[in-house]
Amino acid sequence: YPMLFEADDWKMDPYSIELNKFVDTILNTVNNHSANRSIFFSSFSPEICILLSIKQRKYPLFFLNDGGSFPTGDVRASSLQEAVRFAKRWNLAGIVMASEPLVMCPMLISYVRDSGLLCASYGASNDDPKSAK
């Protein structure tokens, strides 16, 4: 689900699926078909994270974040510090961040963990054995 600045940048039709209906459909589908699977939710969209946090507590929820790697129109997605504040405010399990900033400055991982959140990463650096330790 795109953030507002992305919809504008990508010249998307302003009419989209209502966010509440979108999240409810996902939750109904997961609840009806998850059985005993291990599941967690994650999203780059702060609004999706807020709704999932309000509507369910069964599955861990992670905020995906570029950590300043790419320009965004949302302060919550523009820095690790803001992502941590956001995740703590909405009782998320943690954040998933682009791996490059974490490889360049491993102390960022401690910052996230010391805030009481789980820290994970995505990106090409995860495939490099030296970086993935």
Side-chain angles (χ1 to χ4, degrees):
Y1 202 93
M3 289 190 267
L4 292 175
F5 79 91
E6 291 172 325
D8 187 50
D9 288 350
W10 300 337
K11 307 214 181 328
M12 295 175 69
D13 190 342
Y15 301 100
S16 62
I17 299 172
E18 202 269 329
L19 199 56
N20 239 345
K21 182 174 173 57
F22 181 78
V23 169
D24 287 345
T25 300
I26 290 169
L27 289 173
N28 287 334
T29 302
V30 169
N31 288 331
N32 290 335
H33 301 287
S34 63
N36 292 324
R37 296 179 195 159
S38 296
I39 292 175
F40 69 90
F41 290 116
S42 63
S43 178
F44 280 102
S45 168
E47 287 75 22
I48 295 283
C49 288
I50 290 169
L51 279 175
L52 284 168
S53 176
I54 290 169
K55 292 176 176 266
Q56 68 87 40
R57 293 276 183 210
K58 183 176 180 181
Y59 304 108
L61 175 56
F62 292 83
F63 180 45
L64 298 169
N65 182 284
D66 286 327
S69 299
F70 302 99
T72 67
D74 191 314
V75 68
R76 298 167 291 188
S78 65
S79 77
L80 178 62
Q81 185 176 20
E82 290 300 325
V84 166
R85 284 186 189 139
F86 173 74
K88 288 182 60 117
R89 165 65 181 92
W90 290 100
N91 299 311
L92 308 186
I95 63 165
V96 180
M97 191 171 144
S99 56
E100 289 74 17
L102 299 176
V103 170
M104 289 174 27
C105 184
M107 289 181 62
L108 294 174
I109 298 167
S110 296
Y111 171 72
V112 174
R113 289 182 179 165
D114 291 347
S115 298
L117 300 169
L118 297 174
C119 183
S121 65
Y122 67 89
S125 293
N126 285 350
D127 295 333
D128 178 8
K130 291 179 194 171
S131 299
K133 54 183 170 169

